[in-house]
Amino acid sequence: MPTATYRIFDPLLPAAQAESMLRACERFGPYGMYSQEASEAEIGQGLLQRHDAVMNFLETGGRFGRRDTPAALGARTNYFRESYAYGDDVRLPGIEPFLGYEGFVEAARAIHGRPVIEPAIVYANILVAGQELAVHTDVPEFRGANRKIFPQWLMVVMHHSGLFDEHRMRIATAVGWFNDARGGAFAYYPDGAGSAAATIPARANTGIILDTDAVFHGVDPVERIGAMPEMRPGMRLVFDGDRWSLRDGDREHARYRWDEIRFSISWKAYCFADEGERRAWREHRDDLHLDHILDRLVADLRARGRVNGARPEPTALALLLIDEYVRFPAAEAA
Ligand SMILES: [Fe+2]
């Protein structure tokens, strides 16, 4: 695999702008927990949305191969997320310098060699002390196939299979940090899953842009002293003027200083070759359909000798697809 294109921003924004953005993020909230829901789709019913990444994390213990109980692993990976903007719909006043940052737009053009850039979403991810993000590639999107209608693992399989490249939406993802976190480095594999990881620290007013749908990446653990509080779905994080407060309903479970929080903001943009390509996507002129997707994948599994005879039932097929196509980086020694 050739080295993926990426660009690092240091500094990212003028200092005063970065500072005022951070204050806006504090005012926004509460921040809800982003956890794994089971998929309702007819293929792979009952599998987790990110079955690929979750199973790899449980099997390998993450980048450092650390073993833990499933409950502890859950607490370590149930992080927080809120969206600040969808296209032009700005939900957090003050986020505009990040949403419209010209440096991202220029770099996005270079990443895919495509000139027409359409910012799609800006959202915050928050990890608290002790949390980490399992190595994964992001959920990609294809004309006619996206995470709103199909399971997330299927989108990931489609991308890693390479069979649907003509329909793949090219997306550039930027990640920015606006506080200094203890730990929580961004780990990524620019030379492919078979090569070593590179890391960059989560340091205030820095950032990176890359194709996170193609490049494996994750977040190393945020430093923690003492035991982690229980992390249950439905918990929320609020900034109360002094500290971040972890709440379950009205009850406070933990408080965090800014440096015990890893706060990042992500920016994703579609990258089109020309206006014609953008129109084909918008007007659904060339959409994929589920029957075709599955037929194509099963035909490829047969060619690879992974399916002989009848097509496996949906859940077995789902697990086989993940196993065959999504090849994760190996865990490293701690
Ligand atoms: Fe990601």
Side-chain angles (χ1 to χ4, degrees):
M1 180 176 167
T3 296
T5 308
Y6 64 92
R7 191 181 294 176
I8 288 171
F9 300 88
D10 183 8
L12 181 52
L13 296 175
Q17 239 173 36
E19 188 63 26
S20 69
M21 237 185 65
L22 201 55
R23 298 288 86 82
C25 296
E26 288 174 345
R27 286 192 297 274
F28 194 86
Y31 290 82
M33 196 178 271
Y34 183 75
S35 44
Q36 294 281 338
E37 317 114 54
S39 168
E40 299 296 320
E42 58 190 281
I43 165 116
Q45 206 163 33
L47 265 59
L48 296 166
Q49 283 287 355
R50 284 311 304 268
H51 210 81
D52 57 311
V54 173
M55 293 317 288
N56 179 66
F57 191 67
L58 290 174
E59 281 161 19
T60 65
R63 202 162 82 83
F64 302 110
R66 283 171 300 118
R67 302 288 162 176
D68 222 333
T69 63
L73 288 170
R76 272 166 39 197
T77 54
N78 282 332
Y79 60 104
F80 301 83
R81 173 178 292 190
E82 287 301 329
S83 294
Y84 290 155
Y86 286 104
D88 298 331
D89 175 17
V90 174
R91 296 168 180 198
L92 172 61
I95 199 69
E96 294 86 348
F98 191 82
L99 176 64
Y101 181 50
E102 200 45 46
F104 288 163
V105 174
E106 264 171 44
R109 288 192 183 109
I111 281 173
H112 292 295
R114 285 156 177 252
V116 181
I117 307 300
E118 180 171 318
I121 187 170
V122 171
Y123 58 90
N125 278 345
I126 308 181
L127 278 66
V128 302
Q131 290 194 310
E132 66 192 285
L133 199 52
V135 169
H136 64 283
T137 50
D138 285 356
V139 182
E141 186 173 335
F142 302 81
R143 282 198 296 281
N146 62 56
R147 64 196 294 161
K148 287 181 207 137
I149 50 176
F150 296 138
Q152 296 175 17
W153 62 261
L154 179 60
M155 305 293 91
V156 173
V157 162
M158 285 172 67
H159 171 52
H160 285 278
S161 77
L163 297 170
F164 305 94
D165 278 357
E166 276 173 29
H167 285 83
R168 179 160 92 95
M169 307 284 295
R170 265 54 177 188
I171 297 173
T173 300
V175 183
W177 296 275
F178 294 92
N179 73 309
D180 292 318
R182 291 174 186 269
F186 180 79
Y188 62 114
Y189 295 80
D191 301 319
S195 300
T199 56
I200 49 178
R203 213 157 37 73
N205 204 18
T206 62
I208 185 172
I209 189 167
L210 70 167
D211 178 358
T212 50
D213 296 353
V215 178
F216 279 97
H217 61 282
V219 176
D220 288 349
V222 181
E223 280 181 25
R224 161 175 65 92
I225 301 163
M228 274 195 83
E230 207 182 323
M231 305 293 282
R232 270 197 301 278
M235 282 185 163
R236 305 189 303 172
L237 268 180
V238 199
F239 191 76
D240 67 6
D242 173 34
R243 302 281 167 98
W244 286 92
S245 169
L246 174 67
R247 293 184 190 166
D248 194 358
D250 291 337
R251 258 194 72 204
E252 183 174 80
H253 279 252
R255 292 174 69 74
Y256 301 98
R257 295 187 315 265
W258 253 117
D259 68 346
E260 297 171 299
I261 291 274
R262 183 196 189 269
F263 188 97
S264 64
I265 307 182
S266 296
W267 176 99
K268 282 182 182 284
Y270 295 120
C271 308
F272 297 102
D274 51 42
E275 285 300 335
E277 195 186 48
R278 171 149 55 180
R279 265 202 310 280
W281 164 65
R282 277 216 184 116
E283 297 171 7
H284 299 277
R285 287 185 192 172
D286 183 29
D287 276 4
L288 285 168
H289 298 280
L290 185 59
D291 291 350
H292 167 78
I293 294 166
L294 293 179
D295 288 351
R296 185 103 195 254
L297 285 167
V298 170
D300 194 56
L301 286 174
R302 287 187 195 284
R304 290 164 174 246
R306 293 297 305 265
V307 170
N308 303 296
R311 183 189 283 210
E313 53 85 18
T315 300
L317 176 59
L319 294 170
L320 179 57
L321 288 168
I322 293 169
D323 182 63
E324 176 63 17
Y325 295 109
V326 190
R327 296 291 158 89
F328 283 88
E332 295 166 25

